[in-house]
Amino acid sequence: MSDKKIPLAGVIGSPVAHSKSPQLQHHWLAAHNIAGHYVPMHVEAEDLEHVIRTLPKAGFVGVNVTIPHKEAVMQIADKVTDRAKLMGAANTLIFRSDGSILADNTDGYGFITNLHQGAPDWVPDSGPAVVLGAGGACRAVVASLLEAGTPEILLTNRTRARAEQLQKDFGNHIKVIDWVQAGNIIEQAALVVNTTSLGMQGKPRLRVPLDGLRPHMVVTDLIYTPLKTDLLQAAEQVGCTVVDGLGMLLHQAVPGFERWFGQRPEVDEAARAAALK
Ligand code: NAP
């Protein structure tokens, strides 16, 4: 019998039962013929550090981290990547062979890679991006757009102070616009991104007027339940290129899988189908 360790990974959150990561990661493990496992772990804040410090001893090579622990794990990790520091949150932990824990954030990578895959003709410096929302996920969007070369981000959020904080953190390429003006700035956009939770199943609708949408625009939504939000439906009717949020979820999972299991997984139709199971 082989005494080779079976590599384990998982996702830590509270709640965590809704996570699509286990079925996606198991699809990739099977596709690469890796005898590993990926488990959802419901962990409360008071147990977080103890659980994370214990997992490597049980054969875990790393974990994804979801709400509400994305900030707290940065205090527990031994090293935090620059991009996770910039985003103020980590979603991927790597348990290294020397016993140390590395915290990274792959949401920005997931967002921009999804955009390039779903809208291959989109050129980041082709014009301004209108970004709706200024919550946690928005930081990753803004950071990755600026890194890709987007010249200007028109940022609008219900709570203006949150958008202003992002402007302080990311600089003058960001222009803050009042939430009530959101509809009026859309026609200036080459790219429109919804990072709010508006339009998600069980949440209020996104009520921003969309008559500024034009066929040359790319429109993407971080929401993936439903896959085709009202925003994406409206944009599709106008003739815009639309990119749904599921691809971001899939692409953000790629770097973790590769670091943990040593193979780079594909984001293709089979991976999408696995995540939707
Ligand atoms: P968050 O930090 O709670 O931010 C929520 C955002 O929505 C804020 O900008 C908030 O504005 C806005 N909002 C909420 N209710 C609103 C309302 N009634 N009217 C106007 N604005 C409202 O959440 P998050 O972590 O950034 O996540 C945002 C969305 O992205 C969620 O739907 C999440 O599922 C999705 N997401 C998807 C991926 C992916 O991989 N596809 C990854 C991360 C997140 P205020 O600041 O005014 O509250």
Side-chain angles (χ1 to χ4, degrees), residues 56-275:
K57 298 172 192 158
F60 278 76
V61 288
V63 286
N64 287 126
V65 181
T66 187
I67 287 168
H69 303 316
K70 285 182 170 191
E71 288 87 19
V73 291
M74 306 221 314
Q75 310 302 322
I76 298 168
D78 302 295
K79 189 174 187 310
V80 178
T81 62
D82 287 345
R83 57 185 183 172
K85 282 183 197 152
L86 190 67
M87 290 170 204
N91 67 348
T92 305
L93 298 182
I94 293 135
F95 303 151
R96 300 194 290 199
S97 50
D98 65 0
S100 65
I101 296 173
L102 174 69
D104 194 8
N105 191 315
T106 64
D107 276 340
Y109 165 83
F111 171 75
I112 208 82
T113 311
N114 183 42
L115 204 48
H116 283 303
Q117 186 177 38
D121 295 334
W122 174 70
V123 180
D125 64 3
S126 60
V130 166
V131 175
L132 310 174
C138 183
R139 294 186 76 86
V141 168
V142 164
S144 63
L145 286 176
L146 292 177
E147 196 189 352
T150 298
E152 186 178 41
I153 294 176
L154 306 176
L155 183 63
T156 179
N157 190 49
R158 174 181 63 176
T159 309
R160 189 181 164 103
R162 263 180 126 179
E164 284 170 347
Q165 185 60 49
L166 276 174
Q167 185 188 37
K168 264 193 208 137
D169 294 346
F170 288 95
N172 290 337
H173 291 286
I174 296 180
K175 199 167 151 195
V176 176
I177 311 287
D178 269 346
W179 183 239
V180 288
Q181 295 298 331
N184 297 333
I185 53 172
I186 286 184
E187 65 181 3
Q188 300 172 43
L191 170 72
V192 178
V193 188
N194 178 36
T195 78
T196 75
S197 48
L198 297 173
M200 190 174 162
Q201 245 161 38
K203 301 278 181 185
R205 294 177 62 187
L206 177 71
R207 294 193 187 278
V208 171
L210 298 173
D211 34 323
L213 289 173
R214 300 286 178 270
H216 67 273
M217 296 176 181
V218 174
V219 180
T220 186
D221 204 320
L222 265 52
I223 292 167
Y224 52 85
T225 50
L227 267 184
K228 195 70 68 70
T229 59
D230 288 351
L231 169 65
L232 295 188
Q233 281 183 39
E236 206 168 55
Q237 271 166 20
V238 171
C240 305
T241 304
V242 303
V243 183
D244 69 48
L246 183 65
M248 174 175 171
L249 181 81
L250 304 183
H251 282 288
Q252 64 79 31
V254 167
F257 186 95
E258 186 176 21
R259 291 291 294 268
W260 303 327
F261 300 116
Q263 308 251 13
R264 192 166 182 84
E266 285 293 318
V267 174
D268 52 15
E269 276 310 315
R272 278 178 73 87

Side-chain angles (χ1 to χ4, degrees), residues 21-31 34 36-40 257 274:
S21 298
Q23 59 256 43
L24 171 66
Q25 298 272 341
H26 276 126
H27 162 75
W28 282 337
L29 285 166
I34 297 168
H37 289 288
Y38 185 97
V39 279
F257 186 95

